[in-house]
């Protein structure tokens, strides 16, 4: 079947008469009463994962008065994405200073995600970069 014919069949413009794609050994039902079996390499958990609170708060404060809510979330151990793009620059600077004091006092960390967007993480939270280590070491993504 030519590529144009395949594309036309895929779009439903012509009938697909190509029998190469059908498996003759396929049967509609399970034979001999066989049921589905799990691949032996797949392990089924004996117990459910303990219920852990996994929350991330996204906060877009409008003024410095909203800083208290940021502090309360962070004290509860919730990572906070702080979006300051809608704030006036002077108030945004005050909120960043507040956040810096907050993470210093509670031994957390702060990371800039984008312009005027920050991630505040508690001390027991690991930040994963998302870039495979093999690519950064072999220079594959090295633009210099």
């Amino acid at each position: 079947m030519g590529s144009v014919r395949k594309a036309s069949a895929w779009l439903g413009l012509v009938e697909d008469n190509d029998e190469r794609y059908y498996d003759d050994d396929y049967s509609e039902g399970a034979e001999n009463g066989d049921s589905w079996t799990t691949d032996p390499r797949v392990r089924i958990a004996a117990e459910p994962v303990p219920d852990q609170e996994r929350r991330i708060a996204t906060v877009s404060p409008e003024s410095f008065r909203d800083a208290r809510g940021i502090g309360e979330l962070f004290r509860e151990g919730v990572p906070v994405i702080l979006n300051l793009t809608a704030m006036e620059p002077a108030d945004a600077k005050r909120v960043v200073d507040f956040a810096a004091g907050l993470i210093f006092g509670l031994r957390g960390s702060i990371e800039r995600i984008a312009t005027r967007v920050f991630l505040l993480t508690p001390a027991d939270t690991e930040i994963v970069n998302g870039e495979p280590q093999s690519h950064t070491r072999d220079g594959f993504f090295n633009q210099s």
Side-chain angles (χ1 to χ4, degrees):
M1 178 183 275
S3 61
V4 174
R5 178 122 176 108
K6 285 181 187 176
S8 298
W10 185 78
L11 292 171
L13 301 175
V14 296
E15 188 176 331
D16 186 12
N17 292 332
D18 194 3
E19 298 294 327
R20 291 181 301 168
Y21 297 109
Y22 299 107
D23 186 8
D24 293 334
D25 296 331
Y26 178 77
S27 62
E28 289 295 323
E31 296 178 13
N32 300 332
D34 292 341
S35 61
W36 290 95
T37 58
T38 304
D39 187 346
R41 295 172 292 179
V42 176
R43 294 183 183 169
I44 300 172
E47 298 177 11
V49 177
D51 187 26
Q52 299 174 353
E53 285 194 39
R54 297 180 189 205
R55 300 183 299 165
I56 298 176
T58 303
V59 180
S60 298
E62 295 176 2
S63 69
F64 184 72
R65 287 185 221 124
D66 299 331
R68 180 178 179 158
I70 298 165
E72 289 173 352
L73 284 167
F74 193 76
R75 280 193 313 195
E76 292 174 9
V78 177
V80 177
I81 297 174
L82 186 59
N83 184 354
L84 303 174
T85 55
M87 291 186 73
E88 294 294 322
D91 283 342
K93 185 177 185 312
R94 289 180 66 196
V95 171
V96 169
D97 289 342
F98 171 80
L102 186 66
I103 61 112
F104 178 77
L106 297 175
R107 301 188 190 282
S109 64
I110 186 169
E111 184 173 330
R112 190 178 116 181
I113 304 298
T115 304
R116 298 178 77 178
V117 178
F118 300 90
L119 173 62
L120 311 176
T121 54
D124 60 346
T125 304
E126 178 184 1
I127 300 173
V128 180
N129 190 348
E131 295 178 10
Q133 292 297 325
S134 62
H135 293 302
T136 57
R137 278 183 277 164
D138 65 4
F140 181 76
F141 290 109
N142 189 358
Q143 297 295 319
S144 45

